[in-house]
Amino acid sequence: SNQPNTENRSYSRIATFTRARYRKLSHPDEPQICPSGFNIEASGGKRFMRESGLPEALVSFLINMDAKLDRIIAQMSKDSLASYFPDELVVLDLSAAGILVQSNDIKPGDYLEVVLYLGEFPPTVVSGVAEVLRSGKDMPGVGKTFALQFTRLRDTEREAIVRFVFKEERARIRTEKFK
């Protein structure tokens, strides 16, 4: 749904260091400009290609070409988004409820349309509207920290964030296990 999250749910949260782009909204109900379903999903053609009866060398070539095209499209999409979302945030903490960011250009009470880059392969872009709730400590040379709460986040976008957080948690657990 595209409505504010009125349920009282808690989501797993993970410390991260990633970039996001944003644009300030003139009011909380201003329509989003980042389209729904912007994510470039992997084509899913690998199984089809392997079962096609084509020679293995050709199948391998086509699968590699498909992966390269996905990377090119991802970069083009990032460049295109930067023209609509001119300002950048550093994301320090992420959950499906909100984000903790560093910035010098926002303040509590602002509403932002935020675009998060959650993965390169496959390219995963999540967008939603967030309210800047409060500011935190000032980090010299970087800016202040701000807590943002999502007020509009499509279910598919929320699910992508939850998947990202769980994937990152699993990777960290695996890393800790082998130390």
Side-chain angles (χ1 to χ4, degrees):
S1 86
N2 211 9
Q3 300 301 314
N5 185 16
T6 54
E7 299 175 30
N8 191 7
R9 276 200 211 158
S10 69
Y11 293 96
S12 291
R13 173 172 294 284
I14 192 149
T16 186
F17 185 83
T18 188
R19 302 267 176 207
R21 300 201 75 82
Y22 74 94
R23 70 182 185 97
K24 288 186 181 179
L25 302 180
S26 55
H27 58 84
D29 298 322
E30 184 177 332
Q32 288 177 246
I33 61 172
C34 191
S36 179
F38 183 80
N39 292 334
I40 303 152
E41 297 296 331
S43 64
K46 286 182 186 176
R47 195 180 89 211
F48 169 77
M49 294 291 273
R50 297 224 183 276
E51 295 172 357
S52 69
L54 292 170
E56 184 58 35
L58 180 58
V59 168
S60 180
F61 170 79
L62 291 172
I63 288 172
N64 286 329
M65 184 62 69
D66 187 48
K68 288 176 183 175
L69 287 171
D70 281 346
R71 287 193 282 273
I72 290 168
I73 291 169
Q75 188 57 51
M76 290 171 58
S77 299
K78 270 185 165 180
D79 295 345
S80 169
L81 279 175
S83 66
Y84 293 103
F85 298 88
D87 299 306
E88 199 171 53
L89 297 169
V90 176
V91 179
L92 303 172
D93 192 287
L94 171 68
S95 84
I99 54 181
L100 181 69
V101 301
Q102 289 175 326
S103 173
N104 287 316
D105 304 316
I106 60 176
K107 64 186 184 320
D110 284 348
Y111 281 86
L112 314 174
E113 182 175 2
V114 179
V115 177
L116 298 159
Y117 302 109
L118 298 184
E120 295 286 329
F121 311 109
T124 306
V125 177
V126 173
S127 74
V129 173
E131 179 184 6
V132 181
L133 294 182
R134 65 187 173 280
S135 62
K137 60 186 169 203
D138 196 356
M139 304 183 87
V142 183
K144 274 192 170 184
T145 59
F146 293 89
L148 279 64
Q149 179 179 359
F150 290 117
T151 58
R152 278 188 280 154
L153 192 63
R154 297 173 190 95
D155 288 342
T156 54
E157 315 277 324
R158 191 176 310 280
E159 290 164 11
I161 293 172
V162 169
R163 279 193 307 273
F164 175 81
V165 168
F166 283 134
K167 184 177 121 194
E168 290 293 308
E169 285 177 338
R170 280 194 304 271
R172 289 178 186 179
I173 289 169
R174 237 179 273 121
T175 302
E176 289 299 316
K177 194 184 265 187
F178 293 111
K179 279 189 174 178

